Amino acid sequence: MDNPRIADRLDAFASLLELADANSYTVRAYRRAAETIRPAAVPVAELVRAGRVRELRGIGPGIEARLRELVETGEIAELAELERELAPGLVGLGRYLGLGARRSVEIARALDVRTPDELREAAAAGRLRSVPGIGPKTEARILEALAREAEPRPERGLLLNRAWELVEGVATALDGEPAGDVRRWRDSCQLLAVVCAARDPGPVLARFASLPQIVALVEQGERRAVGVTVEGVPIQLVAAEPERVGTALMRATGSLAYVAALEPLPDAPDEPAVYAALGLAWCPPELREEPFRGEPPALVEPDEIRGDLHCHTTWSDGRASVEEMARAARERGYEYVAICDHTPAVGAVRGLTADDVRRQAEEIAAANELLAPFRVLRGIECDILADGRLDLPDDVLAELDWVQASVHGGQRMPRRELTERVEKALRNPYVRCLSHPTGRLINRRPENALDLECVFEVALEAGVALEVNGLPDRLDLRGEHVHDALRAGVQIVCSTDAHSVRGLGNMVLSVRTARRGWATPEHVANTRPLRSIVDGR
Ligand SMILES: [Zn+2]
Ligand SMILES: [Zn+2]
């Protein structure tokens, strides 16, 4: 049994465990093990037989036992059992049609169907009504969903990090390229796509259908297929002839409006060739939202970021110490990092009092001694109170190198009150940056009522930057708002708001979001050297 095959089975196991509501730590552990095993240089089956598989990163005794079973018997009994019980193909299709996982399994049992095709047949024959709990209304809704099933668009988008993970996994397995919304780094992804070059599309389509991520096919054509994941998310595969891959990639990347305005696209083997044939400069995917034919600006690049100005430690709700975060930031090639823990008003988690801030200073000084010339900045993520005052006295803020001001409680204030509250905070002479300005949580909480035009004006006057928060469920400011901020002349900061060493990796999400707002390095404060950060105001 070769490494990809072993990794596929572990991935499938992870998906089904997730479906069976297993603990998310276990699910992640299996996914990570699959990630380690797939590209491993040594044959993992041999390591298992030699009793040495735990030398691989992330493989503990539990996973070792499953691997031994898989290598010795060719299967994992519990996985086969879960596949029988849960009918992942139907669950994926059910979720795609707007049904919950449990409901899908109930329907499958009641109708005694095992595959998406059998479900379609049963539905067409009017058998859905015989399922307890399905009335004429629900039946009509499912039939309608089945009828428009070939249109690959889920109701709510996937977070960008999860969407990338999915699309990249499929693209790597098929030796193709990620396309669709992820390639444009949309904050919430609905159209996921992978483009492959193939003279003969048969093998790649077959491989696609057999991937562990794809539990059911909802559409299959000669050079195109749409599969759904167990979460019910559709992924489109395009298998283009080699001399047309560039054209296919561009179409699959979108947006629809952007591409439509450039049609008819000439056939070309790569994207730069398509643009050249159109007489246009190549356009970074982040800018392909609205129709555009001009010369794109030199957008900020992730490697131009010199430091992360918003991260947490165990002093508040982070998981790593000051020194661990600082070392990890240094390893990323940064020159500086600002430690910005919470203040008491944040409520739900521990916040730092004036006293804590001064004690933390000693820890930061010690880290600086160890890590020089790398610089750990004394920062804070200071709550903006309901009346616009800050949660720490000015004399404490004055000691710090970097002050982020944040609205946490009271996001639902009416527009005028909230705007005045934030403006007052921005006028505090020590505030350097407004964190996650709109306060949205993607798919969970809408943007607040803040009048951004007014905030931009005050920020410009006061010399305060606005954050592009890189947490995958925030991405706040989003691209459109970044664009407005830059037009108003305001600086932005690309930050991760990391709560762990791993969280520092979200910088790429922040930078890509800034690029969607047309940001060049000059617009981004933390592309500048340390000096300009500490003497900034
Ligand atoms: Zn915050
Ligand atoms: Zn934070």
Side-chain angles (χ1 to χ4, degrees), residues 515-537:
R515 288 164 61 91
R516 286 175 58 81
W518 297 65
T520 67
E522 295 70 42
H523 295 130
V524 184
N526 52 328
T527 58
R528 298 208 192 95
L530 175 66
R531 215 174 342 103
S532 107
I533 302 292
V534 274
D535 317 332
R537 286 187 78 174

Side-chain angles (χ1 to χ4, degrees), residues 310 342 381 406 408 435-436 474 497:
H310 182 173
H342 288 290
E381 179 175 12
S406 305
H408 288 125
S435 322
H436 41 70
R474 285 197 185 267
D497 201 350

